[in-house]
Amino acid sequence: MSIVVTGSTGHLGRHVVEQLLEKVPAEQITAVVRDEVKGADFAARGVKLAVADYNAPETFDSVFSAGDKVLLISGNEFDKGRVGQHKVVIEAARAAGVALLAYTSAPGSLTAALADDHRGTEEALLASGVPFTLLRNSWYHENYTENLAPVLEHNAVVAAAGDGRVSSASRADYAAAAVAVLTGEGHENKTYELGGDEAWSFAEYAAELSKQTGKEIAYSPVSVEALTGILTGAGVPGPLAAILAGVDASIEKGELVVSTGDLSRLTGRPTTPLADAIAVAVKG
């Protein structure tokens, strides 16, 4: 039996594999990669590599075995039909008779277009009959803290979220929840709404940035249309810019506030404060 992680060399996947290595023997972990070279560091530590691609269904034919626990990390190719890609993994997992398939989804409260692929994948997973866990991840701290250059250049946090709040957490937090599910018991056919312990507003985010950088950084709320234009002007493809701006509209409506406490309960510790993520980014 293996614990199999798709997207294992991506931002979230790497955290998951690293944390799994702290809990189970390396030979019990299979990292699914598209590029074997990118997984070489894992292989050197004894992790099994499986080369497979969401866009080539036949490559998943021999990835899973009966009894495996699988983490399907949602793809990031928004233009290639993510639900279809995810169905490739779900069908291969069903055919192999895996014990559990956990999927990184989006909050159940999120109505933005970003959630459409996640809802479609959830429906396919439930229809497959495979024992499942839905890990409905809220937003990541790193969505903001890894993109500080324009904020610090213009001394402004620009968002179309009004006074809305975000229950974000770090990638490492969400990875820890996935690891708890993959290494624990009793998570079959459960749905977890995951988010940070403390929701924050963009005005508070700007204030924390000001405090940590010594600059006067203000929150500049804009319309969804204006934000879409700003993002496309910065080189983000039009359809993706519209999706990202749509998330801000959902934030204004309160759709990324998650108050279940599921994330800290699964990990057994408080979630990482936004201020800590900002401190790491500013020092970096």
Side-chain angles (χ1 to χ4, degrees), residues 36-273:
E36 207 164 352
V37 173
K38 288 185 178 175
D41 56 323
F42 290 150
R45 293 160 71 182
V47 173
K48 297 176 190 168
L49 296 187
V51 180
D53 189 325
Y54 294 149
N55 301 304
E58 68 282 358
T59 62
F60 275 93
D61 285 349
S62 58
V63 169
F64 307 124
S65 300
D68 283 351
K69 290 186 176 179
V70 178
L71 177 64
L72 169 55
I73 294 180
S74 54
N76 59 7
E77 295 177 314
F78 293 91
D79 58 337
K80 290 193 176 177
R82 292 198 297 169
V83 177
Q85 291 180 329
H86 298 158
K87 281 181 177 177
V88 166
V89 179
I90 293 167
E91 175 52 31
R94 185 200 63 75
V98 303
L100 181 74
L101 196 157
Y103 171 65
T104 60
S105 192
S109 54
L110 186 65
T111 63
L114 179 75
D116 292 349
D117 288 349
H118 292 299
R119 297 292 92 86
T121 301
E122 289 185 4
E123 288 169 13
L125 180 51
L126 268 61
S128 73
V130 174
F132 67 86
T133 307
L134 299 181
L135 300 167
R136 288 179 168 168
N137 294 351
S138 187
W139 229 212
Y140 297 69
H141 291 334
E142 291 88 349
N143 290 344
Y144 302 104
T145 59
E146 288 184 353
N147 296 289
L148 285 180
V151 174
L152 300 179
E153 181 183 345
H154 300 288
N155 292 330
V157 170
V158 178
D163 296 325
R165 303 180 77 79
V166 183
S167 299
S168 66
S170 71
R171 286 195 192 108
D173 291 333
Y174 292 114
V179 168
V181 165
L182 294 167
T183 59
E185 299 297 331
H187 300 290
E188 292 83 2
N189 305 328
K190 297 279 181 69
T191 297
Y192 297 110
E193 298 284 349
L194 305 176
D197 295 335
E198 299 285 337
W200 50 269
S201 70
F202 284 88
E204 291 166 349
Y205 175 50
E208 184 63 33
L209 281 169
S210 299
K211 178 179 165 186
Q212 294 205 29
T213 62
K215 297 174 135 198
E216 283 296 321
I217 296 172
Y219 171 41
S220 176
V222 298
S223 69
V224 169
E225 293 74 22
L227 181 61
T228 304
I230 290 167
L231 291 170
T232 53
V236 177
L240 181 57
I243 286 172
L244 294 174
V247 171
D248 274 20
S250 284
I251 290 171
E252 184 168 25
K253 292 185 277 188
E255 293 178 4
L256 277 183
V257 173
V258 177
S259 54
T260 60
D262 282 353
L263 182 51
S264 51
R265 261 196 307 276
L266 273 176
T267 62
R269 57 175 169 75
T271 60
T272 305

